[in-house]
Every structure is written in structure tokens, then in C-alpha cells.
């Protein structure tokens, strides 16, 4: 009978150890899920930052292109034909509208269709 009690006690200890290990495993799974959730959050924030950065780089490139091409041509009066002047002005005004420039300022850009010396520049 003592041997039977010893076997039962060993089984109880084994069950208790198993339960403790299961609890540790459950806690580890909870921590893992929390870490995965945090990782997803950080990745999303990083993705949003990457997208915003790319949008800013594209906007900067477009701004530089407009400044170096259409605006400079209009400002300096360096167009070679009325058609080119019209295209540059349309491109410039479209860009001004895209970036939210006030309508009166967009309309004022029409003044760039005259050569600088006529404008008094």
C-alpha cells in the first residue's frame, strides 16, 4: 500500500509539473501574441512613414521639375513659340492648383505670358 501511495504521489507531482508547464506555455503564447501585435503596429507605422517619405520625394521632384522647366521658361521669357508659352503656362497653373494655391494667385500667373522686359522685370 505504501508503494501505491508513492505512485499516486508521483502522478500528482507529475500532473502538477505538467500543469505548471502548461501555464508557462500559455503565458509565453500570450507574450508572443503581444509581441507580434506590437511588431505589426510598428511595421504599419514604418510603412506609413515610408509611403509619406516617398510622396514627399515625388512632390519635391515635381516641384523641382516645374521650377526648372515651366516656371523658369515663363519667368525668363525663353519660350520659342506661342504654343510652347501656352503649354508652359498651362503646366505651371495646373501645378499651382494641385498644391492648393489661391485662385487669384493662379490667375495672376497669366502675367507670365509676356516677356520680362515688357513686364518691367
Amino acid at each position: 500500500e505504501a508503494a501505491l501511495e508513492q505512485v499516486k504521489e508521483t502522478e500528482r507531482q507529475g500532473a502538477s509539473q505538467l500543469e505548471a508547464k502548461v501555464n508557462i506555455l500559455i503565458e509565453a503564447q500570450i507574450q508572443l501574441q503581444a509581441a507580434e501585435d506590437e511588431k505589426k503596429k510598428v511595421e504599419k507605422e514604418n510603412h506609413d512613414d515610408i509611403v509619406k517619405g516617398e510622396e514627399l520625394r515625388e512632390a519635391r521632384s515635381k516641384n523641382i521639375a516645374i521650377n526648372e522647366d515651366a516656371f523658369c521658361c515663363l519667368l525668363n521669357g525663353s519660350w520659342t513659340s506661342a504654343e510652347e508659352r501656352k503649354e508652359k503656362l498651362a503646366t505651371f497653373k495646373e501645378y499651382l492648383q494641385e498644391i492648393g494655391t489661391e485662385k487669384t494667385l493662379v490667375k495672376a500667373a497669366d502675367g507670365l505670358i509676356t516677356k520680362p522686359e515688357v513686364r518691367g522685370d
Side-chain angles (χ1 to χ4, degrees):
E1 193 165 306
L4 183 59
E5 282 300 317
Q6 187 178 8
V7 169
K8 287 182 181 179
E9 181 60 29
T10 303
E11 285 179 354
R12 281 192 288 269
Q13 288 176 353
S16 177
Q17 289 174 351
L18 179 61
E19 183 179 346
K21 289 179 181 181
V22 167
N23 288 337
I24 291 170
L25 178 61
I26 290 170
E27 183 60 34
Q29 287 174 331
I30 290 170
Q31 291 175 355
L32 176 62
Q33 185 62 49
E36 287 174 348
D37 292 346
E38 182 66 22
K39 179 184 175 211
K40 286 178 185 176
K41 178 183 172 189
V42 168
E43 285 175 344
K44 182 183 182 319
E45 289 171 357
N46 286 344
H47 176 74
D48 292 347
D49 289 345
I50 290 168
V51 169
K52 285 224 186 278
E54 185 59 35
E55 289 171 354
L56 288 172
R57 280 186 288 282
E58 287 174 14
R60 181 178 182 269
S61 293
K62 186 169 186 174
N63 180 279
I64 290 169
I66 293 292
N67 278 329
E68 290 178 353
D69 183 34
F71 181 66
C72 281
C73 178
L74 292 167
L75 185 64
N76 298 327
S78 60
W79 59 83
T80 56
S81 68
E83 183 63 33
E84 181 184 13
R85 179 183 67 197
K86 183 179 176 183
E87 287 175 11
K88 301 289 186 190
L89 182 63
T91 300
F92 182 60
K93 288 174 71 173
E94 180 181 305
Y95 176 70
L96 290 176
Q97 290 171 345
E98 280 180 24
I99 62 171
T101 305
E102 289 183 33
K103 291 180 181 180
T104 53
L105 294 176
V106 174
K107 185 69 178 154
D110 288 335
L112 293 172
I113 62 170
T114 57
K115 294 274 186 182
E117 51 275 4
V118 176
R119 290 193 304 256
D121 291 348

